[in-house]
Amino acid sequence: MVDIKSVACKVIQDETVAIQNLINYIDDDFEAVVRLIYENKGRVIITGIGKSAIIATKIVATMNSTGTPAVFMHAADAIHGDLGMIREEDVVICVSKSGNTPEIKVLIPLIRNNGNNNIVAMVSNTDSFLAKNSLYVLKAKVEKEACPLNLAPTNSTTAQLVLGDALAMCLVECRSFSSRDFARFHPGGSLGKRLYTRVSDVYDGTNRPCITREAGIRPVILAMSKGRLGAVAIVDGEERLEGIITDGDLRRMMEKYDDVDGLTAKDVMSKSPKTISEDELAYNAYRMMEQNSITQLVVVDKERHYKGMVHIHDILREGVV
């Protein structure tokens, strides 16, 4: 019977070693490729065949999402019309383990004949046709595959993937690519919403439960109940924030006092409520609530004028987290 756990662990160990060895191949060529792409006005065309083609599509996706325009071109389709997508100013990265596949041997001369010499090899075999006919070589070298037959691409495709990530992340640093830039390319899903949805987009500014510090407990409870946010803000005559009373404060009040009829809002309120600006990211509001174990934040402007409350349910309903 096969020891399944041992086989799985060995594959992971083999691929870990393959990745660690890549550090030895981050050389002048790698740096030159980063500079070539960064300084170039064209796109990055990434091509490959078989499993390498699948890795190429992932590298393309990573580059596009981090500010480097990239296009995938299948090596087999290139000689049937797709070669027309390559322009002279583009950088062409050919991904291949052996560097000697028939498609690659046909493709490289055709790219050059069309006037493009910015050919980069991402290859394990540095003595291959591809390596010898490229301007620069990205060395995705592996000694063997994790496959017990040493046939199925495993270590080699993992090495290509990691090297592609390293290339893309170097370009992120070169471009000073920010989270705001990232948001422009990821407007959909919770990831995009984290990066562009603001408090002003999620909270209801018309629902503003508030009361003055002199108000009795009954008006406090009524205001809190009407607002349905689990809290009521305490404001002065100019609607500047002075404090907050939450449903938790009311529970603690009932435990502390036998008679609450003579109490006012100032006797119960918390004087240092957690606040946030309308312009702050909604995800940051969620993190503040999570860190402070609370369910709402008071929204204020720069002069601490009360604008309303953002509740954790507002953020969850919007799909920010």
Side-chain angles (χ1 to χ4, degrees), residues 151-167:
L151 294 174
T154 45
N155 288 351
S156 58
T157 47
T158 299
Q160 293 167 353
L161 184 65
V162 172
L163 200 59
D165 284 344
L167 193 64

Side-chain angles (χ1 to χ4, degrees), residues 33 71 117 160 170 203 211 239 246 269 273 289 320:
V33 172
V71 178
N117 292 310
Q160 293 167 353
C170 286
Y203 90 106
I211 206 158
E239 293 202 342
T246 67
M269 72 180 188
M289 294 182 206
V320 174

Side-chain angles (χ1 to χ4, degrees), residues 59-122:
I59 299 172
V60 164
T62 300
M63 286 189 171
N64 280 326
S65 69
T66 52
T68 299
V71 178
F72 171 70
M73 180 186 69
H74 197 282
D77 294 336
I79 58 176
H80 294 285
D82 284 2
L83 197 62
M85 74 172 64
I86 301 177
R87 301 177 300 198
E88 288 186 18
E89 64 269 25
D90 293 336
V91 175
V92 182
I93 300 177
C94 297
V95 184
S96 173
K97 178 188 176 183
S98 71
N100 288 318
T101 59
E103 294 84 359
I104 293 296
K105 287 185 173 181
V106 171
L107 180 60
I108 298 303
L110 292 175
I111 294 173
R112 281 194 171 147
N113 289 342
N114 285 344
N116 188 304
N117 292 310
N118 295 327
I119 300 173
V120 176
M122 182 183 290

Side-chain angles (χ1 to χ4, degrees), residues 212-270:
T212 63
R213 59 191 296 147
E214 291 80 19
I217 295 303
R218 178 178 172 79
V220 167
I221 295 174
L222 289 174
M224 188 183 299
S225 177
K226 184 179 179 181
R228 296 184 178 182
L229 294 171
V232 59
I234 312 304
V235 298
D236 64 14
E238 296 181 352
E239 293 202 342
R240 286 191 177 88
L241 182 67
E242 292 191 322
I244 191 173
I245 298 176
T246 67
D247 49 11
D249 292 325
L250 292 180
R251 288 193 297 271
R252 287 185 286 273
M253 175 195 71
M254 296 299 292
E255 294 171 356
K256 183 176 180 181
Y257 298 99
D258 293 329
D259 182 9
V260 300
D261 290 341
L263 297 177
T264 61
K266 67 181 178 182
D267 299 317
V268 184
M269 72 180 188
S270 299

Side-chain angles (χ1 to χ4, degrees), residues 125-156:
N125 181 7
T126 52
D127 291 325
S128 63
F129 175 88
L130 175 59
K132 292 178 179 179
N133 287 276
S134 297
L135 181 63
Y136 298 112
V137 179
L138 300 174
K139 301 173 182 65
K141 291 178 74 75
V142 295
E143 296 300 322
K144 60 184 181 62
E145 300 290 1
C147 167
L149 303 175
N150 196 28
L151 294 174
T154 45
N155 288 351
S156 58

